[in-house]
Amino acid sequence: MTLDGIDCRIIALLQKEGRISNQQLADQVALSPSACLRRLRALEESGVILGYQAIVDPALLGQRFEAIVQVSLDQTQPGWHESFMAQLQVWPEVHEASIVTGASNYVLQVKTADLEAFSNFVVDKLNQTPGVRDICSHIVMRKVKSPLRPARA
């Protein structure tokens, strides 16, 4: 799908406010509501827009502690990648996971209630997973840029 300027404005507006009404969206991109809805459906059907979600405050859900964890696996073990990928799906502490290049194989975003819960996750779950060779954790002290929070000094 080739995106034009109107499509790009629709996407930008939805990224800022996913709950905007079609009427408001149409007004802001200077289209009729029906034309705007057709474009929106086309963006969804083509896969440009993957979905809509509520973004919640992890602290209000009891997840005040966050760490970025780099994990290296022993690639000589059979099924190392598939096994680790399956394990990631059952750990509620892991909010995001990426396969990366460089010294580690994966980068995980881990959220827990506190340092003790994080330590338990690393010691009792992550470190006990077959094939895990190295773990390097970076504790998030403060978010300085986020899609929902303006940068603060």
Side-chain angles (χ1 to χ4, degrees):
M1 173 177 197
T2 303
L3 303 178
D4 64 14
I6 293 173
D7 293 325
C8 292
R9 287 197 313 262
I10 289 171
I11 291 166
L13 288 165
L14 287 171
Q15 286 178 307
K16 289 181 185 173
E17 177 53 60
R19 292 185 60 172
I20 190 172
S21 72
N22 185 60
Q23 180 66 56
Q24 292 170 315
L25 187 59
D27 290 345
Q28 292 192 37
V29 297
L31 289 176
S32 70
S34 60
C36 184
L37 189 57
R38 277 194 301 277
R39 282 179 177 259
L40 182 58
R41 295 293 180 244
L43 290 167
E44 292 169 347
E45 290 169 8
S46 69
V48 172
I49 296 176
L50 297 175
Y52 303 89
Q53 64 185 14
I55 300 172
V56 299
D57 185 340
L60 295 177
L61 297 177
Q63 299 170 331
R64 297 187 178 281
F65 186 90
E66 181 178 348
I68 305 302
V69 181
Q70 296 173 293
V71 181
S72 298
L73 297 179
D74 178 0
Q75 298 178 23
T76 63
Q77 291 200 3
W80 65 272
H81 173 71
E82 294 77 12
S83 174
F84 191 73
M85 292 290 289
Q87 200 60 54
L88 285 174
Q89 303 310 311
V90 299
W91 289 331
E93 298 90 346
V94 178
H95 285 250
E96 289 186 28
S98 301
I99 298 171
V100 297
T101 61
S104 60
N105 303 108
Y106 301 90
V107 173
L108 314 178
Q109 178 191 42
V110 178
K111 295 181 182 180
T112 61
D114 52 29
L115 179 60
E116 182 180 4
F118 175 73
S119 179
N120 291 339
F121 166 74
V122 171
V123 172
D124 299 335
K125 293 180 180 178
L126 188 56
N127 201 42
Q128 298 301 316
T129 303
V132 170
R133 187 184 66 215
D134 293 312
I135 300 168
C136 179
S137 300
H138 304 273
I139 296 170
V140 175
M141 294 170 45
R142 179 186 330 162
K143 293 268 189 195
V144 294
K145 184 175 180 183
S146 170
L148 296 178
R149 294 184 187 146
R152 291 188 283 176

